[in-house]
Amino acid sequence: MTSPFLLAVLLSLPFAGFLAVWTSNEQIAGKLAVGLTGAGLLLSGWLLLANQSITLQSTWATLSGVSFAITFRLDGLAALMLVLVHFVALLVQVYSLSYMHDETRLARYFAYLQLFVGAMLGILLAGNLLVLYAFWELVGLASYLLIGFYADRPAASQAAKKAFLMNRVGDIGLLLGIFLTYYYFDTLDFIELSGTGAFAVPPTVVGLCLFMGCVGKSAQFPLLTWLPDAMEGPTPVSALLHAATMVAAGVFLLARIHPLLSPNALIVITLTGTITTLWGGYSALFQTDIKRVLAFSTVSQLGLMVAAMGMGNVGGAMFHLLTHAFFKAGLFLSAGSVIHAVHTQNMNQMGGLRRAIPITFVSYTICAAALTGVPLLSGFLSKEAILGGAFGWSVVSATVPFAGILVRVVPVLLLLSSGLTAVYMARQWRLVFFGTYRSETTPLPAVHEPSWLMRGPVLLLAVLSVAVWFSLNPFTFADSWVFAFLPAPVQTHLVWLAPLSIALVLVGGLLGFRLPESNPSRWFVRLSVQYGFLDVFYQKIIISPSLRLAALLNRADQRIIDGAVNGVGISGVVLAHLTSGFDRYVVDGAVNGAAWLAGRLGWLTRRVQNGQVQSYITAAVVGLLILLWWIL
């Protein structure tokens, strides 16, 4: 079979799977979904090893002589991401076979997962912005369905609507950016856009509008509050959302549109990512829900990737996206095993679980250590690629307009965020697995490991979080095979960076392990960030004024617009009645009166012309008498 045919089959599989799983019975839905995703993984691996550039294109519409094409294109970046998405989705679906076994709507659940995977594949293979936008919106729909899967829970329904609506805000910016891209460059094709050498400095507004799509999907400041609330969906969905699908789409978009980002746009992107990584990390310090800690951690790590994109470190950002997918999926699935064991998400009701669920403990420990950047694990390599690029960027970008002191401060803040990650992860590690068992609902003897359908994926993800799978030298990213498919980050050779980063991780880990169990406010200045400061900000600054404006416009609409419309309508009705009366009594009256007069004259005439001679003689005599009288 030819590679284009394989690519078409690969793209079609999840959508065919959506229909097949939706119409299947509950007993085979999960197995069918796992089989289809496994087949997609094999095809993705084949295409990655083939290392070919493949294009599928067809004309969609022609307007005023301009053709708009549906284009799918496979390159090294897309091939790598295809394998990642299929692999994580496969493990999540295998895990779901056990985790969701009591659910009565399994066919719907696995069908939604297939739709989600298919939408993500469309984004990865999109050859132009038009196709990407179509699948971008489909990802939003699929995420809405999965986050709100437990529709009978008000919190889940609210979280799904919040995610959907906040993403629409970013998507409006993305759509405007697509229009502006075509206006300035007369094309939407990624290859043509990457070769726009005639535009040495692309318009800043184009890049910032396109970046809005990333702000929504990848939960960047200020549109980041939907992602922690998305934890209301099933835990396996959380793993898929946070590891390799929806939130990864924004970072992938930046990799595709990077040639369209002007220096000023890159500065804004860097600043946004830096704020997000610090905001997310600080917010994670005060969470008591095991999944919300990981959700804010995802926000923080996405901010790190976006900041790297802003600094031009595309390879480093995508490398961290790759490694992050494994250990973050492992953390969420491990959290699911903990929740499955103790039947609560509140970390204050856990503790001492390392002996009760040792396999989950080991897996969680490895993945958490990878997230914090412990040496010999994958997170250390990818974080060093980003941090090294950040300090190199601060040297070469010192002359960028409007940058000022920013280029010197940002790398330091990103380095500190690495230590902050160690603080909140060590705190969570202690609350869940150390100390005394604190649950009052589930006795400790009843706590046990889940089935191997759940333990297997978690263990595999923990093993894949080891650095050797990404680089034979676990202390440097320079020789990683990943950069055969990604742009290689610039090496800065800062000998002090790795030791300093490791020291921050150790200090942060010790500090986090010693934090109080439930209230760390004595150690940190506790702001309202963790309670949804941005939600309050939106409510006071955006939502409430918008509602008041809407109420004012509604009253204006009812009293002025509707009043004018109703007045015109009433006037029309009155005029119609007047016209009807004039027509009935004047126009019709004249016509009907003439007809009546003619009838009466005819009747009189008929009375005279009756065919009797006597009547005729009488009429003649009478007429003669009248004539004589008139003459005389």
Side-chain angles (χ1 to χ4, degrees):
M1 291 187 290
T2 62
S3 294
F5 177 75
L6 290 178
L7 184 64
V9 172
L10 177 67
L11 185 59
S12 302
L13 267 179
F15 295 106
F18 168 72
L19 297 176
V21 173
W22 183 277
T23 56
S24 65
N25 59 54
E26 308 294 336
Q27 287 72 30
I28 67 169
K31 299 180 179 64
L32 181 59
V34 168
L36 289 169
T37 305
L41 177 61
L42 293 177
L43 289 177
S44 299
W46 178 274
L47 292 172
L48 178 67
L49 295 176
N51 195 22
Q52 296 179 355
S53 180
I54 305 170
T55 300
L56 300 176
Q57 184 168 321
S58 176
T59 299
W60 172 55
T62 301
L63 301 175
S64 301
V66 179
S67 295
F68 294 91
I70 297 177
T71 306
F72 296 100
R73 185 175 292 115
L74 179 72
D75 56 12
L77 174 60
L80 188 63
M81 289 296 295
L82 284 175
V83 174
L84 174 64
V85 169
H86 277 101
F87 182 75
V88 175
L90 177 62
L91 294 185
V92 165
Q93 289 176 340
V94 171
Y95 184 95
S96 298
L97 290 175
S98 176
Y99 189 87
M100 302 288 289
H101 69 280
D102 291 332
E103 177 58 49
T104 58
R105 299 166 294 174
L106 281 178
R108 180 182 301 180
Y109 171 78
F110 283 103
Y112 288 165
L113 287 180
Q114 289 293 306
L115 181 65
F116 200 23
V117 172
M120 190 64 195
L121 296 191
I123 291 177
L124 299 179
L125 294 172
N128 59 51
L129 282 168
L130 184 64
V131 175
L132 183 141
Y133 184 76
F135 286 98
W136 191 270
E137 293 300 317
L138 188 57
V139 163
L141 171 63
S143 66
Y144 169 80
L145 296 173
L146 286 170
I147 294 170
F149 179 74
Y150 297 123
D152 54 329
R153 303 178 185 176
S157 297
Q158 290 295 327
K161 288 188 287 187
K162 184 176 182 179
F164 188 82
L165 293 175
M166 292 190 74
N167 273 273
R168 296 292 72 73
V169 176
D171 293 351
I172 290 173
L174 175 61
L175 185 59
L176 292 175
I178 293 174
F179 292 154
L180 290 172
T181 299
Y182 191 81
Y183 174 79
Y184 281 107
F185 304 113
D186 291 324
T187 183
L188 297 175
D189 190 90
F190 288 128
I191 289 183
E192 296 179 13
L193 290 172
S194 64
T196 54
F199 303 92
V201 181
T204 299
V205 66
V206 175
L208 292 181
C209 284
L210 294 174
F211 175 59
M212 281 297 297
C214 173
V215 171
K217 278 288 188 291
S218 290
Q220 297 299 288
F221 178 85
L223 302 179
L224 56 84
T225 59
W226 70 266
L227 190 55
D229 289 350
M231 297 302 95
E232 295 296 335
T235 299
V237 170
S238 302
L240 192 59
L241 274 172
H242 288 249
T245 51
M246 184 175 181
V247 297
V251 180
F252 181 82
L253 172 66
L254 289 182
R256 285 294 194 217
I257 65 170
H258 207 270
L260 300 178
L261 303 176
S262 68
N264 289 335
L266 290 172
I267 289 293
V268 173
I269 292 171
T270 302
L271 182 60
T272 302
T274 303
I275 294 174
T276 303
T277 191
L278 293 172
W279 195 295
Y282 184 77
S283 299
L285 283 172
F286 303 98
Q287 305 304 314
T288 57
D289 187 302
I290 186 173
K291 288 171 64 177
R292 286 182 70 86
V293 173
L294 300 179
F296 277 110
S297 169
T298 300
V299 170
S300 181
Q301 298 305 306
L302 289 169
L304 187 63
M305 299 174 209
V306 169
M309 286 288 183
M311 293 180 286
N313 191 358
V314 177
M318 294 305 298
F319 185 29
H320 192 52
L321 177 64
L322 178 66
T323 61
H324 177 265
F326 291 106
F327 52 71
K328 184 52 64 72
L331 283 169
F332 268 107
L333 296 185
S334 296
S337 298
V338 172
I339 296 168
H340 183 270
V342 299
H343 307 292
T344 181
Q345 296 180 196
N346 190 342
M347 295 187 298
N348 292 327
Q349 297 181 24
M350 300 178 187
L353 295 178
R354 66 185 186 279
R355 295 187 180 92
I357 46 176
I359 295 177
T360 301
F361 167 68
V362 171
S363 301
Y364 198 97
T365 301
I366 294 174
C367 293
L371 174 62
T372 57
V374 172
L376 303 181
L377 299 174
S378 61
F380 173 80
L381 295 178
S382 55
K383 281 194 173 184
E384 291 306 302
I386 289 180
L387 294 175
F391 282 97
W393 170 81
S394 68
V395 175
V396 301
S397 301
T399 59
V400 173
F402 308 111
I405 197 173
L406 178 66
V407 298
R408 296 176 177 85
V409 174
V410 165
V412 177
L413 294 178
L414 296 181
L415 181 61
L416 292 176
S417 74
S418 179
L420 186 59
T421 303
V423 176
Y424 64 74
M425 288 308 299
R427 171 180 174 263
Q428 185 184 51
W429 190 52
R430 176 188 177 227
L431 288 175
V432 175
F433 296 107
F434 291 87
T436 58
Y437 184 66
R438 300 177 295 276
S439 176
E440 298 178 356
T441 56
T442 305
L444 186 58
V447 177
H448 59 84
E449 292 279 13
S451 70
W452 275 105
L453 284 175
M454 293 172 63
R455 278 182 285 176
V458 170
L459 273 175
L460 182 56
L461 288 167
V463 170
L464 292 175
S465 298
V466 177
V468 70
W469 300 108
F470 298 92
S471 175
L472 293 178
N473 184 348
F475 296 101
T476 179
F477 61 87
D479 300 325
S480 175
W481 59 269
V482 172
F483 297 111
F485 304 95
L486 300 175
V490 177
Q491 299 185 57
T492 55
H493 302 291
L494 300 175
V495 295
W496 52 268
L497 181 58
L500 180 58
S501 177
I502 295 171
L504 283 174
V505 169
L506 291 176
V507 172
L510 290 173
L511 178 61
F513 197 81
R514 294 179 60 84
L515 281 177
E517 289 185 355
S518 60
N519 185 10
S521 58
R522 291 190 297 110
W523 293 68
F524 296 93
V525 178
R526 190 171 190 176
L527 304 176
S528 59
V529 173
Q530 70 278 11
Y531 294 121
F533 172 77
L534 281 179
D535 282 337
V536 176
F537 174 82
Y538 297 145
Q539 185 68 38
K540 299 294 186 183
I541 305 301
I542 299 176
I543 297 177
S544 294
S546 297
L547 290 176
R548 287 195 293 270
L549 178 61
L552 177 63
L553 294 175
N554 179 58
R555 288 195 296 271
D557 180 69
Q558 290 180 345
R559 298 177 183 179
I560 300 176
I561 307 299
D562 286 355
V565 171
N566 293 337
V568 171
I570 293 172
S571 301
V573 172
V574 172
L575 181 61
H577 282 294
L578 292 175
T579 305
S580 175
F582 179 81
D583 180 71
R584 183 180 300 112
Y585 298 111
V586 178
V587 178
D588 288 351
V591 172
N592 294 335
W596 177 84
L597 180 60
R600 295 302 298 172
L601 292 175
W603 179 79
L604 291 174
T605 303
R606 287 197 304 274
R607 297 288 293 176
V608 174
Q609 299 294 330
N610 56 11
Q612 296 179 1
V613 176
Q614 298 91 329
S615 298
Y616 295 157
I617 293 173
T618 302
V621 171
V622 171
L624 179 61
L625 292 175
I626 292 173
L627 179 61
L628 290 174
W629 175 79
W630 179 74
I631 292 173
L632 294 176

